[in-house]
Amino acid sequence: MHGGQQTSTVKVTLQPRIQKDRWSMYWKESMATKTDSFEAITVEADVNTTVGKLQQELAEKLKWQPVDSLVRLEGFKGPWEFAVFKGRSVNPAVSLKANGIITDATITVVRQVLMPEAWKSITDVQSTAEDSSSEDEEDTF
């Protein structure tokens, strides 16, 4: 099928989300999550376009910080972004078609943001220093 291949476009509605994880520097894991939703954006895309390219275009449009400039906190091993179509994760490295998206579709795109949380805040440390009995109790752990 040389020269006669026909490309197909689909209407893709991207639902952007920012997932804010309160990241414990002590436990090295998420202690709480809050997800912010943004207005959906609909684009026309060739079925041979990768999901990753759509994610990148969405991030640029929304002026999100580039993924390679995000700070990876100790213990965080997951991807900074992921996309979900019909309740399942899609592979950003392959085309819409390879992900089973051949008709108009809605894809939820999630960007994770880590919000570091120290085990103790500076005010906790100052108040503990003033109260020696608290220090004695903590030393037993």
Side-chain angles (χ1 to χ4, degrees):
M1 293 175 59
H2 295 283
Q5 278 189 324
Q6 189 174 3
T7 59
S8 178
T9 60
V10 292
K11 188 183 297 184
V12 181
T13 301
L14 301 169
Q15 297 178 316
R17 307 286 188 261
I18 295 281
Q19 178 179 308
K20 297 176 183 175
D21 286 297
R22 195 175 80 203
W23 194 261
S24 169
M25 301 301 289
Y26 180 77
W27 296 106
K28 298 175 182 33
E29 64 183 29
S30 179
M31 301 304 286
T33 300
K34 179 183 181 223
T35 303
D36 295 329
S37 300
F38 297 90
E39 189 172 327
I41 297 171
T42 301
V43 298
E44 290 282 333
D46 186 289
V47 293
N48 295 315
T49 302
T50 65
V51 174
K53 182 170 173 33
L54 293 178
Q55 287 175 299
Q56 181 182 0
E57 290 172 2
L58 178 67
E60 289 170 4
K61 184 175 181 98
L62 296 176
K63 296 181 175 35
W64 288 350
Q65 188 176 349
V67 169
D68 59 355
S69 70
L70 296 173
V71 178
R72 187 170 291 275
L73 298 175
E74 187 177 352
F76 179 73
K77 294 178 179 36
W80 289 114
E81 292 183 322
F82 58 92
V84 178
F85 171 65
K86 292 188 175 181
R88 64 177 174 81
S89 218
V90 295
N91 183 344
V94 301
S95 70
L96 292 169
K97 187 176 183 178
N99 276 300
I101 303 168
I102 54 173
T103 60
D104 294 354
T106 299
I107 300 174
T108 302
V109 176
V110 182
R111 162 72 67 92
Q112 287 189 273
V113 175
L114 302 181
M115 308 192 65
E117 180 180 272
W119 190 41
K120 291 185 175 206
S121 68
I122 292 172
T123 55
D124 288 342
V125 172
Q126 288 171 344
S127 66
T128 304
E130 293 169 6
D131 182 7
S132 63
S133 65
S134 292
E135 280 186 1
D136 293 340
E137 289 173 15
E138 289 179 358
D139 288 342
T140 62
F141 285 93

